Amino acid sequence: LLYSLHVKDKLQQISGLLYAGSAMGAVFSGDLISLFIFWELLAITSVWLIWASRTETATKTGLRYLLIQVLSGVLLLAGAGAHYHQTGSLAFDFIGLNSQASWLIFIALGIKCAFPFLHTWLTDAYPEATPTGTVFFFAFKPNVAVFALARMFPGTEFLVYIGAAMTFFPIFYAVIENDLRKVLAYSLINQLGFMVCGIGIGSALALNGAVAHAFNDVIFKGLLFM
């Protein structure tokens, strides 16, 4: 907020505040329906931070971004409905990767957490957002997904392999990239990989480490984006 005080654009300021509020709503949700509502609000409010650049490229990027993010929400809603049908519960709590419903929710979270092959929205959108919008973007969306994974899928071994892949493949793209914000976007995927590995390990120490690194990442990567 302090970094964006100089921006005389109400669209950006309102979108940023609504986006931050949506992220906090998702974090404090107690059930999957509330999580879905704020999940979709994250997409709708954040896309304006891309469109605020007011370029043709940003418009097209924003549309692609919105499509992918809405798809994530639809998968989350479908998974929540199927999970309720199977268990009678909509609690935003441990689910585990043991049914079709859990796989739908897992993929929905994977899109927002930038899993391999589901990450293109991140490297596409970040460089096109406004300079202050990018900082808002980074601070909330990926970390909400990490938090949701930590609540619903701790100790899921598959996450260790996904996280390991996330730590390796972005490095090669970052090395050959010329756009500094895109380099930092790839670096963000790399750091998210460490968090995902910690969640996959699932011990108390690993989960605490993943959450602590998410907090740490917001600070140092936010400063780099600024």
Side-chain angles (χ1 to χ4, degrees):
L1 283 170
L2 290 172
Y3 180 66
S4 61
L5 278 177
H6 68 281
V7 177
K8 305 302 180 186
D9 184 353
K10 290 183 180 179
L11 174 64
Q12 286 190 62
Q13 303 290 24
I14 292 170
S15 299
L17 287 168
L18 289 173
Y19 178 51
S22 301
M24 297 307 293
V27 165
F28 286 109
S29 294
D31 61 87
L32 294 176
I33 298 303
S34 298
L35 178 64
F36 162 74
I37 292 169
F38 288 112
W39 203 257
E40 291 293 54
L41 281 173
L42 276 169
I44 295 167
T45 54
S46 59
V47 73
W48 293 100
L49 297 172
I50 302 173
W51 285 339
S53 294
R54 295 179 174 86
T55 64
E56 185 178 349
T57 307
T59 301
K60 292 177 180 178
T61 299
L63 286 171
R64 289 195 299 270
Y65 166 84
L66 187 60
L67 183 64
I68 293 170
Q69 296 303 312
V70 168
L71 173 63
S72 172
V74 170
L75 289 171
L76 178 62
L77 182 62
H83 181 68
Y84 180 74
H85 180 72
Q86 291 170 2
T87 66
S89 172
L90 283 171
F92 181 18
D93 207 347
F94 176 77
I95 292 176
L97 206 55
N98 50 24
S99 65
Q100 288 183 340
S102 64
W103 272 101
L104 287 171
I105 296 171
F106 185 77
I107 295 169
L109 301 187
I111 291 174
K112 270 197 170 53
C113 205
F115 284 180
F117 306 111
L118 304 175
H119 70 280
T120 51
W121 65 267
L122 193 152
T123 54
D124 199 23
Y126 277 46
E128 293 302 329
T130 63
T132 54
T134 306
V135 180
F136 272 107
F137 248 128
F138 155 74
F140 295 102
K141 189 182 292 289
N143 297 295
V144 169
V146 165
F147 174 78
L149 275 176
R151 279 184 69 168
M152 290 195 274
F153 298 99
T156 301
E157 187 179 349
F158 188 40
L159 283 173
V160 176
Y161 302 105
I162 293 174
M166 290 172 70
T167 62
F168 281 107
F169 86 87
I171 297 170
F172 302 103
Y173 289 98
V175 167
I176 61 173
E177 185 55 59
N178 293 320
D179 185 322
L180 189 55
R181 285 201 293 177
K182 192 166 276 194
V183 171
L184 291 174
Y186 281 118
S187 173
L188 171 58
I189 298 172
N190 167 265
Q191 298 301 311
L192 287 169
F194 291 109
M195 302 172 208
V196 170
C197 277
I199 294 166
I201 293 169
S203 66
L205 186 62
L207 289 171
N208 287 338
V211 173
H213 187 48
F215 181 77
N216 173 56
D217 193 51
V218 167
I219 296 171
F220 83 81
K221 196 63 65 59
L223 290 169
L224 285 170
F225 271 115
M226 290 179 194

